[in-house]
Amino acid sequence: MSWLLLNSAGPHGAAGSPLSAPMQIILLLTLLTLLPAIIMSATPFLRISIVLHFLRQALGTQTAPSNQVLIGIALFLTMLIMQPVATEMYEKGWAPVEAGQTTWQNGLDEAAKPLRTFLLRFTREKDIALFVELTKQPKPRTPADLNLTILIPAYILSELKAGFQIGAVLYLPFLVIDIVVASVTLSIGMIQLPPVMISAPFKILLFVLVDGWNLVIGSLMKGLLQT
């Protein structure tokens, strides 16, 4: 917090700083309050967490890995993906405001540009058109004219669709194992033992043999970094 106070001298801040220390603290606390919602909805955290949840359900391991582990994996992968975007937002937005080179309004506009570019890479035109229609706003002439209040909800819908699509594909091979095991157990009359208990070791063994974690995480990261 000391770097905030160094930029102020008196009640209205230093001569080169457009924001006083109290205003900077208020903005910082506001951002910290909104940070969890921003991370969960406006970053790849949404897609990654959905895919990992589907994967755990498909394996049938119930609580292994635990929710905390899955959230931790999703969070660190999100940080890796969003680091270049966050750095660009800081350099174009906050750094000039901190140096007194521009106003905070212009700083926010400049900081939003890298985020808008990132979100547009993964947002479907159909979802954007939906929210433009719902808000009854004029159609933007270029993608750069899109408001974040429209782009972020559209991005959420697109990521939900992508996450569920990937999750469904992950489910298929494990579903085949469940069907085969259920058919075999019923044919030999093993109705006392649930088929899920028998198929779980086979699904875990298959996942380990194909190095499933490497494949799943690698495919997710390549899709998010190279798109």
Side-chain angles (χ1 to χ4, degrees):
M1 196 66 69
S2 60
W3 61 274
L4 290 173
L5 300 177
L6 289 175
N7 290 313
S8 63
H12 301 290
S17 178
L19 291 179
S20 62
M23 182 59 68
Q24 290 180 349
I25 294 173
I26 291 174
L27 289 175
L28 180 61
L29 292 177
T30 302
L31 289 175
L32 289 177
T33 303
L34 298 175
L35 187 60
I38 294 173
I39 292 176
M40 287 189 293
S41 58
T43 67
F45 181 90
L46 179 61
R47 180 191 301 193
I48 296 172
S49 59
I50 290 175
V51 171
L52 293 180
H53 173 75
F54 271 107
L55 177 61
R56 186 177 65 180
Q57 291 292 107
L59 285 172
T61 54
Q62 303 300 324
T63 58
S66 64
N67 289 331
Q68 291 83 352
V69 172
L70 295 183
I71 291 174
I73 294 174
L75 181 60
F76 280 103
L77 294 180
T78 301
M79 291 170 59
L80 178 62
I81 296 169
M82 295 300 294
Q83 181 180 1
V85 180
T87 301
E88 188 177 358
M89 291 175 65
Y90 173 79
E91 292 175 351
K92 291 185 176 181
W94 183 261
V97 173
E98 187 180 8
Q101 299 173 357
T102 185
T103 62
W104 66 270
Q105 293 92 338
N106 292 334
L108 289 177
D109 292 338
E110 291 298 320
K113 291 180 180 179
L115 179 61
R116 184 181 292 108
T117 301
F118 176 82
L119 296 179
L120 283 170
R121 290 165 52 193
F122 305 100
T123 307
R124 301 184 304 165
E125 293 184 7
K126 182 179 180 181
D127 296 325
I128 294 175
L130 171 64
F131 284 98
V132 170
E133 180 182 355
L134 290 176
T135 56
K136 295 181 173 56
Q137 294 187 10
K139 293 183 179 180
R141 291 174 297 178
T142 63
D145 296 331
L146 276 171
N147 196 316
L148 286 179
T149 56
I150 292 177
L151 186 55
I152 291 178
Y155 170 81
I156 293 173
L157 287 188
S158 299
E159 287 295 276
L160 285 173
K161 177 180 174 62
F164 273 76
Q165 285 178 331
I166 298 172
V169 173
L170 286 175
Y171 240 109
L172 292 179
F174 301 108
L175 181 60
V176 171
I177 294 178
D178 284 332
I179 294 174
V180 171
V181 171
S183 300
V184 172
T185 54
L186 288 176
S187 63
I188 62 177
M190 294 180 57
I191 59 175
Q192 296 85 1
L193 191 62
V196 176
M197 294 185 61
I198 302 176
S199 63
F202 291 101
K203 291 190 289 186
I204 296 173
L205 181 61
L206 173 65
F207 189 72
V208 172
L209 288 177
V210 300
D211 199 4
W213 287 111
N214 185 281
L215 290 175
V216 173
I217 300 300
S219 299
L220 274 174
M221 296 298 289
K222 289 176 183 177
L224 291 168
L225 290 173
Q226 297 178 3
T227 302

